[in-house]
Amino acid sequence: MSKSLKRVRAALLASGLPDTIRETGQATTAQMAASKIGCEVDQIVKSIIFLGAHSGKCLLFLTAGGNQVDAGKASALAGEPLGKADALLIRTQTGFAIGGVSPIGHLTPTRAFFDSKLMDFAQIWAAAGTPRHVFSAAPAEMLNISNSQASDFKS
């Protein structure tokens, strides 16, 4: 088991949530992950990372699988211009590789925003630290354990 997956499992258990981690095989899109899990695409939480142009920090936008992040709205929420975060910065600040960025278990605290569309479901699924693993939680639980701010930033 990878260090990243262990960190997410530990964060789940420390939050009092059950270990719901499942493997998704070679799923590389939200739609593929939804098909593998047997849920709607919008129940898959996409972790979109931007770089704060002034702060130099990663900012995490947790959005429903079928949604896109509107860069202008995201920048307004962040209070700074946003740019592309490269793979090395993402791994250094979060501890995760692109495709496996989890809402929880980051190496350093990451400011996060939560798509209100995710609240429409009883259960949602997010990356569990690797591109091939996800975990589930109720939206309110995910919002809480990820220390996210419920926001409207979708296109």
Side-chain angles (χ1 to χ4, degrees), residues 48-59 61 71 74-75 78 80-86 89-90:
I48 309 299
I49 299 272
F50 288 100
L51 171 65
H54 300 310
S55 67
K57 299 200 183 250
C58 288
L59 295 144
F61 290 81
S75 179
E80 64 181 314
L82 301 177
K84 183 177 178 180
D86 66 34
L89 179 73
I90 292 170

Side-chain angles (χ1 to χ4, degrees), residues 42-94:
D42 280 344
Q43 286 177 267
I44 300 295
V45 179
K46 294 191 301 191
S47 295
I48 309 299
I49 299 272
F50 288 100
L51 171 65
H54 300 310
S55 67
K57 299 200 183 250
C58 288
L59 295 144
L60 175 61
F61 290 81
L62 302 168
T63 190
N67 287 346
Q68 299 293 318
V69 175
D70 179 291
K73 289 179 181 179
S75 179
L77 281 170
E80 64 181 314
L82 301 177
K84 183 177 178 180
D86 66 34
L88 179 60
L89 179 73
I90 292 170
R91 183 173 288 281
T92 300
Q93 288 191 18
T94 70

Side-chain angles (χ1 to χ4, degrees), residues 15-35:
S15 297
L17 296 177
D19 178 353
T20 57
I21 295 173
R22 289 182 46 191
E23 189 167 341
T24 58
Q26 299 302 316
T28 56
T29 66
Q31 184 59 62
M32 290 170 71
S35 295

